[in-house]
Amino acid sequence: MARYEFLTTWCLDAPIEAVWDALYASERWPEWWRGVERVQVLEPGDADRVGELSRYTWKSRLPYRLEFDMRTTRVERPYLVEGAAQGELSGQGRWRLFEGNGATAVTYEWIVETTERWMNVLAPLARPVFAWNHDVVMRNGGEGLARLLGVRLLAHG
């Protein structure tokens, strides 16, 4: 398996609660996040959604779709959501939100391994393309979130 570690940062001119509400409602991401085709809740979690299992289907500029299931493992409203992925990608994801001066910084840590044979075979050559594709999808997310909230995306990276 090929291992990937990504760190994405968005800074939005919005209060933390508004950003939290949009990110926390992941089943609505396809409405505003270009590249997210579908989010389907397979198993509900507790009142904070811990234990919830959702299936995510992603499509971006490359000619393939990725699908994986994500189990929410930790929630600390409005600062943190963590989950464990299984499927075509296997690993850990962590959203963190920080507020200051009326703006919210969001980080997403994504540490995953590819499980599909074709991706693992191509990894030595395609790693930069897979990383570029991830960056495109995450940039789309930051821009879509800013549009949804009617605010400026102050920075992304």
Side-chain angles (χ1 to χ4, degrees):
M1 287 192 256
R3 180 180 169 97
Y4 297 85
E5 295 185 25
F6 299 109
L7 177 62
T8 300
T9 303
W10 302 330
C11 188
L12 296 131
D13 192 13
I16 195 169
E17 287 293 339
V19 175
W20 171 267
D21 289 346
L23 288 174
Y24 193 62
S26 61
E27 66 279 1
R28 298 193 66 191
W29 288 359
E31 297 171 18
W32 56 266
W33 190 333
R34 190 173 64 233
V36 182
E37 288 195 336
R38 184 172 182 201
V39 178
Q40 178 185 11
V41 176
L42 303 175
E43 297 173 12
D46 67 13
D48 291 324
R49 300 176 83 168
V50 172
E52 180 177 282
L53 181 67
S54 296
R55 178 160 296 147
Y56 292 80
T57 306
W58 299 80
K59 172 77 173 87
S60 72
R61 295 190 182 187
L62 297 181
Y64 65 87
R65 283 178 176 73
L66 276 176
E67 189 170 87
F68 56 87
D69 294 344
M70 191 79 150
R71 170 100 45 202
T72 303
T73 57
R74 186 172 164 200
V75 175
E76 294 177 14
R77 181 187 262 315
Y79 304 105
L80 174 77
V81 177
E82 292 180 349
Q86 291 292 327
E88 293 178 328
L89 297 176
S90 177
Q92 302 291 318
R94 178 181 299 122
W95 290 102
R96 293 181 191 233
L97 287 74
F98 307 88
E99 186 174 42
N101 298 324
T104 301
V106 178
T107 63
Y108 188 65
E109 300 166 66
W110 189 222
I111 301 170
V112 292
E113 294 178 337
T114 53
T115 62
E116 293 295 300
R117 178 173 162 69
W118 72 267
M119 292 179 90
N120 293 329
V121 168
L122 291 177
L125 298 173
R127 180 175 292 275
V129 175
F130 292 158
W132 168 83
N133 192 58
H134 173 82
D135 291 342
V136 167
V137 167
M138 294 307 288
R139 184 173 40 253
N140 289 344
E143 292 168 353
L145 182 54
R147 274 192 308 276
L148 175 72
L149 299 176
V151 301
R152 289 181 301 138
L153 178 62
L154 302 171
H156 61 85

